[in-house]
Amino acid sequence: MSGGGDLTFHCPDCGEAMAVNEPMREALLDHGCVVCGTSVSRSAFSVDAE
């Protein structure tokens, strides 16, 4: 990975979507959605096609 937005996060609760990198993904998994605070699982992320 390049460290850029190689993943897309889709909140299962509020529907927020954003490009994230690996450290951001780990923070979301640890702390939940930054918008609504709901817990996040690994299934909330998809890999962006290049």
Side-chain angles (χ1 to χ4, degrees), residues 12-33:
D13 194 45
C14 73
E16 180 67 27
M18 66 184 84
V20 298
N21 59 21
E22 191 62 34
M24 292 167 67
R25 175 181 133 151
E26 293 305 316
L28 285 162
L29 288 169
D30 289 344
H31 303 290
C33 177

Side-chain angles (χ1 to χ4, degrees), residues 6-45:
D6 297 321
L7 301 164
T8 300
F9 164 66
H10 300 275
C11 179
D13 194 45
C14 73
E16 180 67 27
M18 66 184 84
V20 298
N21 59 21
E22 191 62 34
M24 292 167 67
R25 175 181 133 151
E26 293 305 316
L28 285 162
L29 288 169
D30 289 344
H31 303 290
C33 177
V34 296
V35 175
C36 70
T38 197
S39 295
V40 174
S41 70
R42 295 193 182 276
S43 65
F45 299 89

